[in-house]
Amino acid sequence: MDTLSPTPRPHRPSARRKEARPGELLEAALALFVEKGFAATRVEEVAARAGVSKGTLFLYFPSKEELFKAVVRENASRHLHDAFLEVAEYAGTSAELLHEFIRRWWTQYGGTPAAGLTKLIMSEAANFPDLAQYYQDEVVQPSHELVRRIVQRGIDRGELREVDLTLAAHLIVAPLVQLVTWRFSLAPCCPATLMPDPLALLDMHADMVVRGLRQE
Amino acid sequence: MDTLSPTPRPHRPSARRKEARPGELLEAALALFVEKGFAATRVEEVAARAGVSKGTLFLYFPSKEELFKAVVRENASRHLHDAFLEVAEYAGTSAELLHEFIRRWWTQYGGTPAAGLTKLIMSEAANFPDLAQYYQDEVVQPSHELVRRIVQRGIDRGELREVDLTLAAHLIVAPLVQLVTWRFSLAPCCPATLMPDPLALLDMHADMVVRGLRQE
Amino acid sequence: MDTLSPTPRPHRPSARRKEARPGELLEAALALFVEKGFAATRVEEVAARAGVSKGTLFLYFPSKEELFKAVVRENASRHLHDAFLEVAEYAGTSAELLHEFIRRWWTQYGGTPAAGLTKLIMSEAANFPDLAQYYQDEVVQPSHELVRRIVQRGIDRGELREVDLTLAAHLIVAPLVQLVTWRFSLAPCCPATLMPDPLALLDMHADMVVRGLRQE
Amino acid sequence: MDTLSPTPRPHRPSARRKEARPGELLEAALALFVEKGFAATRVEEVAARAGVSKGTLFLYFPSKEELFKAVVRENASRHLHDAFLEVAEYAGTSAELLHEFIRRWWTQYGGTPAAGLTKLIMSEAANFPDLAQYYQDEVVQPSHELVRRIVQRGIDRGELREVDLTLAAHLIVAPLVQLVTWRFSLAPCCPATLMPDPLALLDMHADMVVRGLRQE
DNA sequence: GATGAATGAGAATTCATTCAT
DNA sequence: GATGAATGAATTCTCATTCAT
């Protein structure tokens, strides 16, 4: 698209490439770090996947470790802000909101390459404790807060029972996290039949949560 | 000494002596592989933690990779056989069985060091596809089969609704797997307050599952 | 413009324009090579200090090594020719000549940035034996010859004892060389108090030489 | 000597080698650093010259830089202490003491491989300012102090004129330092005829110093 | 059996040099 | 002519593996 549309001053090819480099490298690095882990990924592989040479990578990131940190920072907390707004404005029932929330989580994060970040953090937390803390603060905590608000809203509306919000949030989030963890760990190795259809699983999950929490 | 004493179930009599030291090495290796990942763990660390020298490790395991495989094989499918027997013989309600099953899972696996294996497999599946397949066959599949039997038993007894057994099993297992994954990834890095009490979480999970699946 | 104007001694008319920028590069390179050594100096630093880009440097010098050689050739044997003439024409006593020679050496070479060349050659001689030989032939030998002539002149005039000219030249030159070596090695690192005033040192040196060599 | 004398428990060969390793590596490193400079010397060369592999070097020194620092510390201030004692107890004339001091300096340091350290420090001072300071404090300062004492002793005995001790020390030391600098820089590259016989040069130097400083 | 010194293949990083713009 | 992004050969350093004792 970009290459075909006639623009007044199309940046010189090399300039356009230069601007795209970090993004391409981050994308390649995310995929490889997710697949093989930080230590088992060679920077040369990352560079090759991004279509550049080893040396070029170091033009944009001073070390493999900084590349890793940039990958995490780049992919953390992308859509979280929007989700907060939507929940605050939502007008339907809690059952509808939960189904909607979970489905959107899948289309906007869980089903995208960025979801590999979740598995990556799980795998490397002990080797990068500061990043783990960052992820905890920027992604985990806000996500749980969002889910707690959804549940609290249902309680306030008389649709859901009064329950421990923290535990409920963990139980609502767990299958989502589990789904992406599997998507990037066992799923690529093992027969496709083992993985249930994500949307069917998520719909049943939303249904189970609603049944499990509803006021009787 | 050990090799002569008649014990009820000696794994393989001739190998018992040899397995005394390997046991310590496997234990050390499990802990370190879980914490740092396969590539980031140095064999010298494993040996040191087991109280032997680097050379000794290679007396028992021909390579780091074989050590890893032994760790997985040693820790996979420990209590699964017993669980099958117990479910088959269980006499109480489905609600009781689910609570009992989940609680025992925690005391016999989820809360033990062996549970690190789950996180380890998640992290290293792509680097060791044959082990991932082995784990899938020996642990994941049987576990899901066991859970499906529990649900089927509830349906047969008229206590639970008819649901997709595969999806139900995934949703029942997901929070358990998620719990151990966190126990070995973010939990060691981040404030204790973030982790809810495992038993409280698991009890609520069992309760939610029962409410979500019960016949109305 | 420059290339057309007839000047008294244009080095090579056609090359004058080209040599404007190389001059800055050579100056920058001399300073950095002296400070850090050939291998530890990055061409990018040289270019930056000369106010041009890395690529531009290679427009004027085909390689880092050629740049180094140009630095040496540029700075070797600058004032030697004049000194020979002055000694030949000198009319005063040997004591006056020695004092004068040494003071001029300081103002015209030893105290200038060009003196860094001496330290540079000391440091890199083994890595550039052909340059070392060039320096030996073009600078060291003529300098010693000049000093030998001064001593011979003193002997001929009956002011100085008959001594081994070669040894005397070495002993007269050594403190000069030593002074610039220190100026570019330890002096920049260590408290100024350690460095004696160069002119006081050189005056005492001239005085000691005269006393050491004079006819009794 | 050691290897020939029959000792009760000759260490096992490997143990004897192990103990000798650091020394062999330091010796090899000194020679190569002196010849080519720190940056231009490859650790593999050092290892090869010491008869071991690259990896072995890192068993004894954590980095190339630490190896360099160890080389300097190992070779600095070897014979300085003895020299102080000998000067304090010396009974002869100042002329004899100066000749003796300079001759011994040559046999015990200037003429040995350890003298390369002097050139090495000159070359690398700017890149290792802390080592330069260390050398200044541990070697240069004490050496000059020693020489000042010799001159002061001569003044006290009425043999030498009153002169600036600091300047005198510099002028006495300069040709010695210059001699070793040349020994390890231009001398290996250029025809032997250029280098005067060190002992003849040093004798003339001592003679010139005595003549230059003596009371008239 | 146990040790740990030694090895060397492999990975991260640097930097002189090239070349399209 | 000038630039600086890109390259890849070269170098430091790591660590699984071997083996003599």
Side-chain angles (χ1 to χ4, degrees), chain A residues 104-113 115-116 176 179-180 183-184:
Chain A
R104 291 180 72 126
W105 169 85
W106 176 255
T107 55
Q108 294 186 356
Y109 179 77
T112 73
L176 311 193
L179 187 57
V180 297
R183 192 155 95 73
F184 291 98

Side-chain angles (χ1 to χ4, degrees), chain C residues 34-37 39-40 119 121-129 132-133 135-137 140-141 144 161 163-164 166-168 170-175 177-178 181-182 184-187 189-191 194-197 200-202 204-205 207-209 211-214 216, chain D residues 34-37 39-40 119 121-129 132-133 135-136 140-141 144 161 163-164 166-168 170-175 177-178 181-182 184-187 189-191 193-197 200-202 204-205 207-209 211-214 216:
Chain C
V34 168
E35 185 183 334
K36 316 163 79 122
K119 186 218 157 189
I121 291 283
M122 295 292 132
S123 300
E124 305 292 345
N127 296 324
F128 299 91
Q133 187 63 56
Y135 185 80
Q136 186 70 254
D137 296 342
V140 177
Q141 294 275 32
H144 280 228
R161 299 184 283 135
V163 292
D164 181 314
T166 299
L167 296 182
H170 271 89
L171 293 171
I172 291 169
V173 167
V177 175
Q178 192 51 26
T181 304
W182 276 17
F184 292 98
S185 60
L186 289 178
C189 301
C190 304
L194 300 175
M195 247 346 247
D197 171 50
L201 184 73
L202 291 172
M204 178 159 171
H205 175 46
D207 183 56
M208 291 267 289
V209 167
R211 289 170 182 266
L213 290 180
R214 74 186 164 197
E216 331 218 347
Chain D
V34 167
E35 184 183 335
K36 318 167 76 131
K119 185 222 160 185
I121 291 281
M122 294 294 131
S123 300
E124 304 293 344
N127 296 325
F128 299 90
Q133 187 65 56
Y135 185 80
Q136 185 70 254
V140 177
Q141 294 273 32
H144 280 227
R161 303 184 279 134
V163 292
D164 182 314
T166 298
L167 297 181
H170 271 88
L171 292 172
I172 291 169
V173 167
V177 175
Q178 190 52 24
T181 304
W182 276 16
F184 292 97
S185 59
L186 290 177
C189 300
C190 305
T193 57
L194 300 174
M195 246 345 247
D197 172 49
L201 184 72
L202 291 172
M204 178 160 173
H205 175 47
D207 183 57
M208 291 267 288
V209 167
R211 288 171 183 265
L213 290 181
R214 73 181 165 200
E216 328 215 350

